[in-house]
Every structure is written in structure tokens, then in C-alpha cells.
Amino acid sequence: VSKDAQQVGNTVSKTVASVNPFNPPVASAQGQSENTPSASLRSVNLPVPVAQAPISSPSFVQNTPDWLKPKIATAATKFNIPIMLFSALLKQESSFDPDVIYGRKTSSVGALGIGQFMPETARELGINPLDPDQAIMGAAKYLRQIADHFSDEKGKTDWKKVIAAYNSGMGAVDQFGGVPPYAETQNYVKKILAEAGTPHQSFGGARQALLEE
């Protein structure tokens, strides 16, 4: 993660809405989740050095809800995952839909939460997939495990394989030596690259690896 990405996780004395899992954000009439503080949200202060980037930094993909930004930045920084990549992946998994995040909607195969974890994977990671804090931290931890598997001896990570493995499993990526020839996985990788491929310092050296064929 570059200096910009690390800075984003530590915003300057900024009040951010922290979600109570039992009172999630409600969707507006237009279908977009409300991200402004309300009775169901409480404010917390996140102190940060003055030189750091604000939480509104473009390190996040478009339409990332404000209440999720500090959670994503903190988890990505802890596990050394590019913030833009991480937010793009979570957006692809959940569309940042509160109904998905809190389990009111599940996938056809039973995947849960913002990271769309299968129950057995969530158990292995020791997380509650319907708790956004735990699920986001768990997704970053899982991505780091995958990234370590697809990094060479010099520490260069093949992020394209990492994205594919999050969707189809490391075994499938190993078997095919790259993105498996599954339509779902192929589209999954393309969509995340389209979101995360915007040039920005927060990607650092990861962007080139992402865009390499």
C-alpha cells in the first residue's frame, strides 16, 4: 500500500458515522442508502495527523458510502491491500447495499454480508459476516492470505490472480495458471479492474500488475 493509502486510514480529526449493526442505514426513496448520521448512527472521532489525506480522498471507488470508508481504509492498511482495489471488490460483492451487508438479502448459494462469505469461510476466519466491521476486516485478511499465495520471492503480487481467487478459489486459479475460464469469474475480474484501474497514487505499484494481461 502506498503512502497515500496508509494516510487515508488515519483521517484528520473527522467525525464519521459508525453503524450500529442492529440499526443499519435505511434506503432512501431512490434506493440509495442514507449515509448521513441519524438516530441509528452515533458519531465517533478519528484523530489523525494534519498532513493526512481526508476521508473523501479518491482512494475509494465511486459511491463508496462515507460510513464504510474508515472501515475499509483501516482493514486495507492493516493487511497491506490497495484501498482502491479493496473498495472495488467489496462494491462488486455487495453493491454496498445495506440489505446485503446485514443479511436481509443473500446470494443464491448462501453467501453473506459485504464480503459475500460462505458460512464455512466465515467460521474459518472467525468472523460474523453480517457485522460490517468484522466482515470488512475478514475480507482484507482473506485477501492477504490469497495475495501471499500469489506473490513471488521479491514480494510482487499478481493482483489479477488474487481477484480471481477471491471469486473462484485459489485451487481453480492454480489449476488454470491464471483467471479460470469461467464466465462469472472472467466478468468479476473485468468489472473490478474497471473500477479499480483508475490511476491514483493509492494503488502504487499494484496498478500495473492489475492491468497486465
Side-chain angles (χ1 to χ4, degrees):
V1 178
S2 70
K3 186 176 179 181
D4 273 329
Q6 293 169 345
Q7 290 173 344
V8 173
N10 303 309
T11 36
V12 186
S13 270
K14 193 166 178 146
T15 300
V16 181
S18 175
V19 171
N20 178 340
F22 298 100
N23 291 292
V26 247
S28 67
Q30 287 74 33
Q32 301 296 320
S33 59
E34 299 290 345
N35 299 316
T36 53
S38 68
S40 64
L41 306 175
R42 58 186 176 82
S43 294
V44 295
N45 289 323
L46 299 177
V48 174
V50 174
Q52 309 289 350
I55 205 69
S56 58
S57 163
S59 296
F60 303 92
V61 293
Q62 188 175 13
N63 299 325
T64 303
D66 287 342
W67 67 276
L68 287 175
K69 288 179 180 179
K71 302 176 190 297
I72 292 171
T74 298
T77 300
K78 179 176 180 178
F79 290 102
N80 198 25
I81 304 295
I83 292 177
M84 187 79 82
L85 167 67
F86 191 38
S87 58
L89 183 143
L90 293 176
K91 180 179 179 179
Q92 179 62 30
E93 291 289 346
S94 68
S95 300
F96 295 135
D97 180 350
D99 285 337
V100 174
I101 293 171
Y102 290 99
R104 293 187 289 267
K105 290 180 184 175
T106 59
S107 75
S108 58
V109 295
L112 299 166
I114 190 168
Q116 287 294 277
F117 289 105
M118 294 302 291
E120 57 269 28
T121 305
R123 283 194 295 270
E124 289 172 4
L125 291 168
I127 63 164
N128 174 359
L130 301 182
D131 179 318
D133 292 285
Q134 292 186 38
I136 291 170
M137 196 63 72
K141 180 180 180 180
Y142 186 47
L143 277 173
R144 173 42 49 197
Q145 292 173 358
I146 298 172
D148 288 345
H149 181 78
F150 292 114
S151 295
D152 62 23
E153 64 280 357
K154 294 182 180 179
K156 181 179 178 182
T157 301
D158 189 332
W159 290 102
K160 205 169 186 180
K161 289 182 180 179
V162 174
I163 297 168
Y166 192 95
N167 176 260
S168 63
M170 287 187 282
V173 176
D174 283 337
Q175 178 184 348
F176 291 100
V179 181
Y182 311 145
E184 177 187 330
T185 303
Q186 295 273 342
N187 290 332
Y188 180 86
V189 172
K190 287 178 182 177
K191 287 178 180 178
I192 291 175
L193 291 180
E195 285 273 8
T198 303
H200 190 266
Q201 286 184 338
S202 67
F203 247 114
R207 183 175 182 263
Q208 185 58 40
L210 277 165
L211 298 179
E212 287 175 358
E213 292 297 330

